[in-house]
Amino acid sequence: MSIANYKHTVAERFMRYVQVDTQSDPTSATQPSTAKQKDLSAILLRELQEMGLTETELDANGYVYGTIPATTNKQVPVLCYCAHVDTAPDCSGTGVKPILHPRYTGQDIVLPDDPTVVITTAEHPYLKERIGDDIITASGTTLLGADDKAGVAIIMDFARYMIQHPEIKHGKIRVLFTPDEEVGRGVVALDMKKLGADFGYTLDGGERGHLEGETFSADAVIVKFVGISAHPGYAKGKMVNAIKAASAFVSLLPRNEWCPEVTDGMQGFVHPTSIEGALENATVQLIVRSFETPQLAVYEERLRELVAKTAQQFPGLATEFIVKEQYRNMKEVLDLHPQVMQYAETAYERSGLHPHRMSIRGGTDGSRLSFMGLPCPNIFTGEMGIHSKQEYVSVQDMEKATEILVHLSAIWEEHA
Ligand SMILES: [Zn+2]
């Protein structure tokens, strides 16, 4: 099977989809967080229906579902290919003007609507690897939205190819487009039963060849300090100041180790994200990260010791220590189903690529999905410089990812 002669639609789709403003909003309590995300979801739904997918739906929570029916009689696990429609709140996504730079020659790219915005090869060395490709950028005043409209366009181009090529044997394939990934709520209202898939792949990775099957495990820690208030003129021997206690605790946190500023690779960290308080009550919030889940408890014990040490300095102070699980390293789930990564690697190889297993120093919707019962590593899309005006994507990277999905679907059928 070769899709070499396929007239891809991924670039054309991408250029259209990025012009729809789908920015999500972390301060909103609605589902999805912004109604405008559904503007793109509605377009995707219609296009899936026009292509001939079945079981298509845009539900009230903003999820788009569709099915590419099986073309085999074998019992093949149901696969799900997933991407998110929203763009990051960090940078404007209003009025995106995508620019196609055909046959990129390796120079820095100056963006016309604000020439101070330059995508340099010094800051983006991956660009040098993409010389000869067609590169798409924004125009200088907005992000591009390749994260994750590259993934969306890849899945759409793939779906079109599969519908046009029923001779390729594959099992049932579910297509899923989610809202609100960028605000950490991409799968909260997902109906896993309706999805009905056994294994999944998110299309939301960066460089060609990367295959991400490992994320941090993550907890949040909330430390509450409760002091004793008194009139400051008559506070001697009575007042216990919670502000000072919280500050003392923060000052005990190491600065040369165990924090994001000085760790990388496979190292974990703790990181205070917020401090607020008044005389009587103060709260410090932290995040705790490690690739090894048991290490989180070790880190938390070390934090408890620092809280105890703080309390000793403030007689009368009460403290509370709350741990909240955030997400877990998806590798724990993927290791139970090694074929999910193996088949993906085979698909990369059939597409002429060397797969590189990568670890993400963060979480993905895939890590949450994996623990919701859908083992779900992350495939590259070519999206680079994400969440910024320097964002770019290679058309050929997107086409390569489309090809990988075709092979991957066939490989699952071959092994069934
Ligand atoms: Zn993304």
Side-chain angles (χ1 to χ4, degrees):
M1 161 190 31
S2 163
I3 76 163
N5 299 322
Y6 177 44
K7 204 173 167 309
H8 283 279
T9 61
V10 67
E12 174 273 319
R13 287 177 190 282
F14 178 81
M15 303 275 281
R16 268 193 302 116
Y17 300 158
V18 296
Q19 294 179 56
V20 184
D21 184 357
T22 56
Q23 191 179 52
S24 49
D25 177 2
T27 66
S28 160
T30 61
Q31 175 66 39
S33 70
T34 53
K36 61 188 176 185
Q37 294 179 65
K38 286 192 183 179
D39 295 348
L40 179 56
S41 305
I43 293 170
L44 298 173
L45 174 72
R46 198 188 61 232
E47 293 184 358
L48 288 173
Q49 288 168 340
E50 284 167 1
M51 276 182 215
L53 273 75
T54 60
E55 301 177 307
T56 52
E57 181 183 356
L58 165 56
D59 75 6
N61 292 322
Y63 294 83
V64 177
Y65 305 83
T67 294
I68 306 168
T71 55
T72 180
N73 295 324
K74 286 192 193 172
Q75 286 294 96
V76 187
V78 177
L79 298 182
C80 169
Y81 297 132
C82 169
H84 64 90
V85 298
D86 65 314
T87 61
D90 319 62
C91 185
S92 169
T94 305
V96 174
K97 284 196 275 172
I99 301 172
L100 180 73
H101 308 259
R103 290 176 299 284
Y104 172 66
T105 54
Q107 77 288 9
D108 291 348
I109 302 174
V110 181
L111 299 182
D113 288 348
D114 181 354
T116 66
V117 181
V118 181
I119 310 177
T120 66
T121 55
E123 275 177 76
H124 301 272
Y126 180 69
L127 260 183
K128 287 266 189 196
E129 296 177 34
R130 306 277 32 105
I131 289 175
D133 282 9
D134 305 316
I135 303 294
I136 300 173
T137 68
S139 64
T141 56
T142 65
L143 49 62
L144 174 62
D147 176 10
D148 185 25
K149 286 162 187 167
V152 172
I154 288 162
I155 293 171
M156 294 296 285
D157 194 34
F158 156 80
R160 176 174 172 272
Y161 182 84
M162 297 305 265
I163 294 288
Q164 288 182 356
H165 291 271
E167 76 279 7
I168 298 171
K169 296 266 179 273
H170 62 83
K172 176 174 173 175
I173 296 166
R174 291 287 271 160
V175 164
L176 173 67
F177 298 119
T178 60
D180 287 335
E181 190 268 356
E182 299 291 359
V183 294
R185 287 162 25 200
V187 297
V188 289
L190 176 62
D191 186 337
M192 294 298 282
K193 226 178 128 189
K194 191 195 293 177
L195 183 62
D198 299 302
F199 300 101
Y201 295 89
T202 48
L203 274 291
D204 197 14
E207 294 184 22
R208 172 185 288 234
H210 285 190
L211 174 62
E212 294 164 332
E214 182 159 22
T215 58
F216 271 146
S217 280
D219 280 351
V221 167
I222 300 156
V223 188
K224 292 185 177 173
F225 298 91
V226 184
I228 298 168
S229 68
H231 187 293
Y234 307 93
K236 187 177 179 182
K238 292 183 202 140
M239 180 190 283
V240 180
N241 191 324
I243 301 170
K244 289 184 180 173
S247 312
F249 165 70
V250 171
S251 71
L252 290 176
L253 294 171
R255 265 162 275 173
N256 299 318
E257 50 143 350
W258 206 38
C259 43
E261 300 95 311
V262 296
T263 49
D264 62 6
M266 298 304 283
Q267 296 172 304
F269 58 75
V270 315
H271 171 53
T273 55
S274 125
I275 177 167
E276 55 186 4
L279 173 56
E280 228 177 345
N281 289 287
T283 303
V284 179
Q285 300 196 47
L286 306 102
I287 59 171
V288 182
R289 299 288 186 264
S290 174
F291 287 104
E292 307 292 334
T293 302
Q295 192 64 30
L296 296 178
V298 176
Y299 287 172
E300 284 149 14
E301 192 47 43
R302 198 169 154 189
L303 283 176
R304 279 181 214 273
E305 284 164 16
L306 296 180
V307 172
K309 211 168 159 183
T310 305
Q312 280 169 8
Q313 299 171 31
F314 295 87
L317 180 79
T319 64
E320 203 180 336
F321 193 95
I322 302 158
V323 177
K324 284 189 178 161
E325 179 176 321
Q326 292 184 309
Y327 56 86
R328 290 293 176 255
N329 186 345
M330 66 161 108
K331 186 170 188 291
E332 293 170 18
V333 175
L334 292 175
D335 281 349
L336 303 174
H337 310 277
Q339 72 274 32
V340 179
M341 290 290 279
Q342 283 162 9
Y343 295 172
E345 288 181 324
T346 308
Y348 279 44
E349 282 158 5
R350 280 193 196 173
S351 308
L353 297 186
H354 226 44
H356 291 284
R357 288 196 184 202
M358 307 296 291
S359 303
I360 308 171
R361 290 179 62 78
T364 66
D365 273 352
S367 36
R368 292 175 182 85
L369 285 169
S370 292
F371 286 89
M372 287 162 71
L374 188 75
C376 196
N378 191 29
I379 291 174
F380 74 87
T381 67
E383 64 193 47
M384 298 296 293
I386 58 174
H387 300 196
S388 80
K389 294 172 186 169
Q390 283 88 3
E391 196 177 8
Y392 67 93
V393 69
S394 148
V395 171
Q396 284 72 16
D397 280 355
M398 292 194 287
E399 292 178 354
K400 197 44 112 175
T402 305
E403 181 182 345
I404 283 169
L405 296 188
V406 175
H407 288 303
L408 183 54
S409 309
I411 289 164
W412 276 91
E413 197 272 347
E414 290 164 24
H415 286 89

